[in-house]
């Protein structure tokens, strides 16, 4: 796997109450980080103000697993924002995004970047058909991918120390 993803294990001691969100063995598969996409918090947490959510990540807004259907969401400004239908699809999507790295350099033509963006979008939708709607998380990420150069090899190296070397 490329340097884009950090698979350091999650060292929490499982709590029975977390089982209503997803199985412990599934939680333990969530990577520690996919640079520029997702950062895992130190331990899952159920906050008192939202007992129906298991918080697992903290990028710009907290990422959580919903009780009941196990979908993965992000706290939006006005309402929750959909990420994936379940935790396994979320993990698979993170890994798929990381597998596309290296993405492009600062000198890559925009047409080439758009092709790569299209390939990633197609891969993400094939993992989770619910992503085909215009989800703010993945599609917003892919907008940053093209528009702001946030996934050029130079940016990822400068910002996170990520290089194109593979494990």
């Amino acid at each position: 796997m490329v340097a884009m993803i950090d698979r350091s294990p999650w060292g929490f001691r499982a709590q029975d109450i977390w089982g209503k969100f997803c199985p412990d063995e599934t939680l333990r598969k969530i990577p520690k980080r996919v640079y520029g996409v997702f950062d895992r918090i130190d331990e899952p947490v159920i906050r008192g103000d939202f007992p129906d959510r298991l918080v697992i990540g903290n990028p710009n807004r907290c990422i959580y697993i919903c009780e009941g259907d196990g979908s993965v969401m992000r706290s939006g400004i006005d309402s929750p924002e959909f990420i994936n239908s379940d935790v396994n699809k979320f993990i698979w999507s993170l890994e798929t995004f990381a597998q596309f790295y290296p993405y492009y350099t600062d000198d890559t033509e925009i047409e080439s970047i758009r092709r790569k963006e299209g390939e990633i979008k197609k891969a993400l939708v094939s993992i989770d058909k619910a992503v085909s709607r215009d989800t703010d998380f993945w599609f917003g990420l892919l907008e940053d991918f093209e528009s702001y150069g946030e996934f050029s090899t130079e940016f990822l190296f400068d910002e996170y120390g990520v290089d194109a070397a593979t494990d």
Side-chain angles (χ1 to χ4, degrees), residues 9 15 26 32 44 47 51-52 64 75 82 90 96 99 104 106 110 119 122 128-129 131 136 144 151 163:
Q15 297 181 23
T26 302
K32 180 176 182 178
R47 298 190 341 221
D52 60 339
Y64 58 88
S75 297
F82 175 83
F90 176 62
T96 298
Q99 287 173 357
Y104 52 86
D106 287 343
I110 190 67
E119 291 172 30
K122 184 177 178 180
D128 190 349
K129 301 297 183 224
V131 169
D136 198 30
D144 292 348
F151 294 96
D163 61 27

Side-chain angles (χ1 to χ4, degrees), residues 94-154:
L94 289 172
E95 293 192 4
T96 298
F97 192 88
Q99 287 173 357
F100 275 90
Y101 183 74
Y103 301 112
Y104 52 86
T105 68
D106 287 343
D107 298 326
T108 303
E109 296 291 326
I110 190 67
E111 293 80 18
S112 179
I113 295 171
R114 286 187 179 142
R115 275 194 302 277
K116 185 81 129 180
E117 176 191 23
E119 291 172 30
I120 295 170
K121 188 180 289 188
K122 184 177 178 180
L124 293 171
V125 170
S126 73
I127 292 167
D128 190 349
K129 301 297 183 224
V131 169
S132 65
R133 60 183 178 205
D134 203 4
T135 61
D136 198 30
F137 185 81
W138 291 113
F139 285 63
L141 179 74
L142 291 173
E143 185 176 302
D144 292 348
F145 182 92
E146 178 190 330
S147 303
Y148 303 112
E150 290 187 7
F151 294 96
S152 73
T153 53
E154 294 89 347

Side-chain angles (χ1 to χ4, degrees), residues 29-111:
K29 293 177 187 173
I30 297 172
K32 180 176 182 178
R33 171 177 290 160
V34 176
Y35 292 94
V37 181
F38 171 75
D39 289 312
R40 191 181 72 201
I41 58 175
D42 292 336
E43 179 176 290
V45 64
I46 300 171
R47 298 190 341 221
D49 52 343
F50 293 106
D52 60 339
R53 301 174 185 179
L54 181 64
V55 178
I56 58 170
N58 192 15
N60 297 331
R61 302 177 209 154
C62 90
I63 292 177
Y64 58 88
I65 305 167
C66 296
E67 182 180 359
D69 66 0
S71 60
V72 179
M73 307 286 278
R74 178 171 71 165
S75 297
I77 295 168
D78 298 321
S79 62
E81 296 171 349
F82 175 83
I83 297 177
N84 284 104
S85 300
D86 63 48
V87 179
N88 284 315
K89 290 178 182 174
F90 176 62
I91 295 166
W92 190 7
S93 295
L94 289 172
E95 293 192 4
T96 298
F97 192 88
Q99 287 173 357
F100 275 90
Y101 183 74
Y103 301 112
Y104 52 86
T105 68
D106 287 343
D107 298 326
T108 303
E109 296 291 326
I110 190 67
E111 293 80 18

